[in-house]
Amino acid sequence: LWGLFFFISSLVILYRDDYIHRDLNINRFILLVLMFVLSIMFLIIRPNIIRILLGWDGLVLVSYCLVIYYQNVRSYNAGILTVLSNRVGDVALLIVIAWIVNFGSWNYIYYLDFLRGSFEMTLISLLVVLAAITKSAQLPFSSWLPAAMAAPTPVSALVHSSTLVTAGVYLLIRFRPVFDDWLCILLLVISGLTMFIAGLGANFEYDLRRIIALSTLRQLGLIISAISVGLVSLAFFHLLTHALFKALLFMCAGLIIHTMRDSQDIRFMGNLSVQIPFTSVCLGVSSFALCGMPFLAGFYSKDLILEAASFRYINLVGFLLFFVSTGLTVCYSFHLFYYVFCGDFNLSSFYNVSDASFMMLCGMVGLMLVAVFGGRLLRWTTFHVPGIVCLPFYLKFLTIFISSLGG
């Protein structure tokens, strides 16, 4: 986990070298990004609730400074929405600390087994779920994540792939052994509705970065749904593979916006596969990995989650939320392809668009390689024993059918 996170952070900082190289406050920006990296280190370094709180609050405070980095009214509104939404989770985490201190230590990992089913642990797990859904932007706290797009693109690549939104998922994975059945059902309903509504909303969106932000919401909903039905290892595996292709997706979007005179409306784009071919290839690879195209990074984790969910005792509504949301993912990806790659170039005909930024391309090449090969490599290192998923014919091919229907 650390190695993957540091690899993505280093490529994002390399990408930043060309993206905002004319900024007068470039040193301040680098220090803020490094503080962001330090905060997530505090969060994952050991299972101590105080260490988690330090990283948890550090992520919120530094993300506020980064969201308002472009100092205008829209950025200020987005920053205050981000902070106030995350404050709810911070309060829940502080109450968890007050309860855990009654057990004699803040190293909560020692109490997860023998206190399972007790009133104290039920209350703690409910507060942990509240903290996690605010940090991971699940309903009804999902509005802050698209608003956080006001931050520079390198920050968005970190926030949406491997830092701020994954902190809630990390906390859920840590506390999953003590969740009661009714809490898992509640978590499944919240995350299932989030991924369905985010996938549906992305199909009617024309802002490039907001489409990718809504796709992050949909992927987080899938990960938390997998945790709620007991597929914790697969959820963690998808968390790792999602970090690879989502960071690449944001980098491609940032380069497109950079070359399009800061225009984020996909209706002004078109024919970019001829204008910026290498960036278009990277965008295609990351989008296909997002859709779960066979043998790319997303395929190994996403299809495995959907097939394993078919074994679980979930009702028809939960089953439909899993598979219909998958079709919506392919649908908004093709919607993005149609506007960005097809037709004529819709910006000014006198404006030249090209793959001219060397440092940005270097950062994208590293992530494109791991988006292609990283899923297989992570599968080898995460699951040491090979397994076979035996399903009826119609369930085995349901994922491919739903994806084709969405396309």
Side-chain angles (χ1 to χ4, degrees):
L1 180 60
W2 286 8
L4 183 68
F5 172 64
F6 288 142
F7 176 71
I8 293 173
S9 302
S10 61
L11 289 179
V12 166
I13 291 173
L14 181 67
Y15 172 91
R16 175 267 332 144
D17 197 41
D18 271 1
Y19 189 79
I20 53 172
H21 68 282
R22 294 179 182 175
D23 196 334
L24 296 177
N25 300 314
I26 185 71
N27 292 331
R28 184 175 68 186
F29 179 77
I30 295 172
L31 287 174
L32 285 171
V33 171
L34 292 177
M35 287 172 64
F36 211 53
V37 172
L38 185 64
S39 298
I40 196 70
M41 280 177 57
F42 269 116
L43 187 72
I44 63 177
I45 198 166
R46 62 176 297 183
N48 184 299
I49 198 69
I50 295 295
R51 295 277 183 91
I52 285 179
L53 182 69
L54 289 175
W56 191 274
D57 272 343
L59 284 172
V60 176
L61 294 175
V62 179
S63 67
Y64 174 72
C65 297
L66 289 168
V67 168
I68 66 168
Y69 186 78
Y70 297 135
Q71 297 176 9
N72 52 52
V73 175
R74 178 172 170 266
S75 297
Y76 294 149
N77 291 336
I80 202 68
L81 177 61
T82 301
V83 167
L84 291 181
S85 299
N86 282 277
R87 277 289 103 187
V88 179
D90 297 345
V91 170
L93 202 60
L94 286 169
I95 300 174
V96 167
I97 291 174
W99 272 92
I100 284 184
V101 76
N102 294 324
F103 301 150
S105 170
W106 281 309
N107 292 315
Y108 60 87
I109 202 77
Y110 301 138
Y111 312 117
L112 294 184
D113 286 331
F114 74 89
L115 287 173
R116 185 181 305 164
S118 64
F119 171 74
E120 291 87 354
M121 200 51 80
T122 301
L123 181 61
I124 286 171
S125 57
L126 181 61
L127 291 168
V128 164
V129 167
L130 177 60
I133 63 173
T134 55
K135 187 69 78 175
S136 295
Q138 302 298 292
L139 286 176
F141 304 103
S142 56
S143 59
W144 70 263
L145 192 61
M149 292 293 94
T153 299
V155 177
S156 299
L158 274 178
V159 166
H160 287 254
S161 65
S162 54
T163 53
L164 188 62
V165 293
T166 59
V169 177
Y170 171 79
L171 201 63
L172 286 177
I173 291 173
R174 285 290 196 184
F175 279 88
R176 176 60 180 82
V178 295
F179 287 176
D180 294 329
D181 290 341
W182 64 269
L183 196 56
C184 292
I185 294 170
L186 177 65
L187 201 57
L188 178 62
V189 170
I190 292 172
S191 56
L193 288 176
T194 302
M195 64 179 176
F196 175 73
I197 292 171
L200 194 64
N203 284 284
F204 299 96
E205 189 64 60
Y206 291 103
D207 189 310
L208 178 59
R209 291 175 67 190
R210 285 182 70 89
I211 291 174
I212 304 175
L214 289 171
S215 81
T216 303
L217 270 181
R218 186 253 175 273
Q219 296 300 319
L220 288 170
L222 177 65
I223 293 169
I224 295 177
S225 298
I227 293 172
S228 66
V229 297
L231 305 171
V232 179
S233 299
L234 297 184
F236 181 70
F237 180 39
H238 189 57
L239 187 69
L240 298 181
T241 56
H242 169 258
L244 300 175
F245 59 76
K246 186 51 62 73
L248 177 61
L249 200 57
F250 265 103
M251 285 185 175
C252 296
L255 185 54
I256 291 172
I257 294 167
H258 195 62
T259 56
M260 293 284 294
R261 289 193 286 190
D262 298 329
S263 172
Q264 298 182 190
D265 196 325
I266 59 176
R267 290 170 292 189
F268 288 127
M269 302 174 191
N271 202 28
L272 291 186
S273 56
V274 176
Q275 309 281 342
I276 43 175
F278 186 79
T279 306
S280 301
V281 168
C282 293
L283 182 67
V285 167
S286 56
S287 297
F288 282 134
L290 176 70
C291 296
M293 186 64 66
F295 311 117
L296 294 178
F299 167 75
Y300 292 100
S301 56
K302 191 174 180 180
D303 279 38
L304 199 56
I305 286 176
L306 293 174
E307 289 181 354
S310 304
F311 285 105
R312 298 289 164 164
Y313 291 102
I314 54 175
N315 59 13
L316 184 62
V317 175
F319 188 79
L320 286 175
L321 285 176
F322 268 105
F323 282 90
V324 173
S325 302
T326 302
L328 290 173
T329 301
V330 185
C331 189
Y332 66 68
S333 297
F334 275 74
H335 166 249
L336 185 64
F337 286 162
Y338 174 76
Y339 276 96
V340 174
F341 296 145
C342 302
D344 297 325
F345 185 60
N346 292 321
L347 205 62
S348 171
S349 58
F350 296 103
Y351 189 67
N352 183 37
V353 178
S354 63
D355 284 322
S357 179
F358 177 73
M359 299 303 288
M360 292 166 76
L361 291 179
C362 286
M364 288 161 57
V365 166
L367 280 176
M368 187 178 74
L369 291 175
V370 293
V372 175
F373 302 109
R376 182 73 263 182
L377 295 174
L378 285 171
R379 179 78 176 271
W380 285 336
T381 55
T382 308
F383 303 104
H384 302 293
V385 179
I388 298 175
V389 180
C390 296
L391 286 171
F393 180 82
Y394 66 94
L395 278 178
K396 195 70 174 176
F397 284 89
L398 184 60
T399 307
I400 297 176
F401 173 72
I402 290 292
S403 299
S404 305
L405 189 65

